[in-house]
Every structure is written in C-alpha cells, then in structure tokens.
Amino acid sequence: MPDPLVLQIERYEPGDEATRIEEFTLARDPDGSLLDAFEHIKDAQDPSFTFRWSCRMGVCGSCGIMVDGIPRLACEVFQRDLGPTARISPLAHFPIERDLIVDQEEFLEKLTSVEPWLMEAGPPQGPHDTHLQRPAQVAAFQRYAGCINCMLCYSACPQFGLNHDFLGPAAITLAHRYNQDSRDGGAAERADVLQAEDGVWGCTLVGTCSVVCPHDVDPAAAIQQEKLAGALDYARSLLWPRGRR
Amino acid sequence: MERLREARGEERQATLRRELGEVMDEAFGIYRLAPDMKAGLATLTTLRERFEKLGLHDRARRHNTELLTALELDACIEVAQVIAMASLSREESRGAHQRLDDFQTRDDDRFLCHSEVRRETDGLTLRHVPVQITRYPPQARVYGGDADA
C-alpha cells in the first residue's frame, strides 16, 4: 500500500468495563474525508464499527468526534491532511453509548432550559401578521443563530469537563440569540438560568469553544455579552430598586 | 425487522448499496435511453433477489447502523424499481426525464399523466392517471434568447 492511513480508534460495546483501542489501516484517499474512511472501514473491514453521520457536508452537526485530541466534524477532516496515523475517539466529556456515539441527553436538556423560543415583545406590526426587522436588527442575532448543535464546544470547554452543571457555550449562545432578537421580549424570563453561578458565570474565558466551532458562531462572545447584560442589570437593580430592565 | 436482523446470507449490504447507486446513475440520470433503462430494470430485479440473500454481521441490539442501513436499502431498491418502471413507460421527454432516443419531445396527448405504481401481491403494477390541470397549462420552458423571440 503506497500511502496508508492508520486510524487508532477507541471502541466500546455497552457492558464493557472500559474502551479499547483498535487499529485500522486503509489506502489513503486524497479526496476523501475522515467520514469516508469510517464508511470504508464499516463496509469493508468491520461492520460493527459505529458512528453518527448524516449530511456529510458540515451542516448537520452529527459526526462530531475527537481527532488527535481536538474536537472535529469527521466530514470536515480530510485524509490528505492527516499524518501517517491518527487517534480517533468519541467526543470528550460525554458518556459513551457505543464506539463513537455519545449520550446527548444532558446537552439537549441544557438547550431546553434556556427556553429557546420566541416570546413576542409586542404584536406584529407588518402585513399579514408579520414582524418587521431592519437588516441591522437581523444582524444583531444572526451569527448566534448559526449553531448546528454539534457539541464540539462542550468537548473543547475545560470548565464543562470539570463541572457538568455548567450551562455551556451552545446553550448560552442559543439564549443570547433570542435575547438579541428585536422580536423577542423574554430576556427577563431567561435571566434566572443564564445568570446563575453555573450559567454564564461558570465561564472563565478560555475561548476554545469559539476556536473549534465549525460555523464561526463565536459562543465565547455571546457568553461575555450575556455577562455584561447581567452585570448591567444588577447595577440597575441597585440604583433603581423597584424598576427592572 | 427481526427477520432482517437474523439474516445470514452471502450478500453484503455495502456491495448492494454501491451497485444500486451505480445502476441508477448509469441508466436513470437526466438523459435516458430505452436499452439502458431496460437493462437497468433487469439489474434492479437482480438486486432485489440478491437482497433476499443478505447477511448482516453486526449482532448488536443497540445502535446497529448496519441493520439500519439494510432497512433503508430495502426501501431504496423498491423506490428505484418504481422510478425505473415509470421512466420506461413514459415514452416522451418532460422535465428531468429527457430521452435521447425516439421520444425526445413532450407529448401531452399520450403522457399528460401521473405514473402511479402500487405494490400488489404479485409484484409492482403501474398505471397512468390523467393530470388535472387547474392553474398552469403545460408549456415549453424557454430561457434567454429563445424567450425573447
């Protein structure tokens, strides 16, 4: 084999005491992604090798894994960019269900906890019961609406690794997306969860969440903006004890 | 699903899946020819027979994506057969079904119809159902210079 690719994959079956490393060798495809390599291994070498995937083009967020210790989407890692060998393991900080599949339950609960739906600030002002927004108003939240729920930011966050009660980057960013939306009036409702000690204040500005985000959502920025909003809200409550935001 | 889970035949779902993709790409793309489509339909019949001799190797009862893929393949083969039958029976060109053989133009007299395929006890049966035109009568789609003429 002229240019082999050796993948050292962390495997696990439900009921096993611990994970084990299994090595697979394949002919490197210069145009292929890591996801293509996984598919080849499953089809031609070991049909029990299991992983999540869907769109294979970096928009669905299903195929998150660790490549040499870095959280990546398998469909966005190219075989030509890997060295002679690569260590593949399931997304860090999550319980493993089977092989590269992790338990997402905790993550989904955090998303729901910030009440991620539009709480209309006022009645629709536009034709046919629509809300009107200027481009600048859309720009205020649009970036934070780009999250594909891939969970890479949670694997990158050392605070989440130490404390699973931390709300985490994606959930806070999702709350921020609604708080920044001019059609929404739910910021006060979301404040209890966001401004808790395990809410935004669990973040210590490490910033690796934004580094690994495959869609440039910049969750770190969203978190710090919510910290500022919370701090200002607190200051206001001292100066004007009866009125709120 | 239980029957599929216990499948112990010689055929592998990965091989059948790949061959299905190849035949549909070759015989049922946008540009079509009768002899290719006939051969394609015959290949699909063979794939269906080979699927009955499928063998699965992953014995897990949880997160068994080999089984999931086989279930999807089962449905894909059937849908492919429907596409093949409908394409062969449509002796005209219309939209994304463009024939480079004897039927290169749109024929509203014979084929302004839906192709309906049903699975009955003895196999798949096709019939043509007339279209109800309500708002947009069929017309040639022309672009650019042709549209200005």
Side-chain angles (χ1 to χ4, degrees), chain A residues 14 39 42-43 47 50 97-98, chain B residues 12 14 17 58 60 63 65:
Chain A
E39 189 175 313
K42 189 176 180 75
D43 286 348
T50 309
E97 294 195 347
R98 186 187 191 203
Chain B
R12 308 198 66 154
R17 207 174 81 225
D58 187 0
H63 289 301
T65 52

Side-chain angles (χ1 to χ4, degrees), chain B residues 23-30 32 37 40-41 44 83-84 87-88:
Chain B
V23 66
M24 292 310 282
D25 200 26
E26 291 275 337
F28 298 101
I30 295 171
R32 298 162 170 185
M37 289 196 281
L41 184 57
L44 289 175
I83 293 170
S87 304
L88 261 169

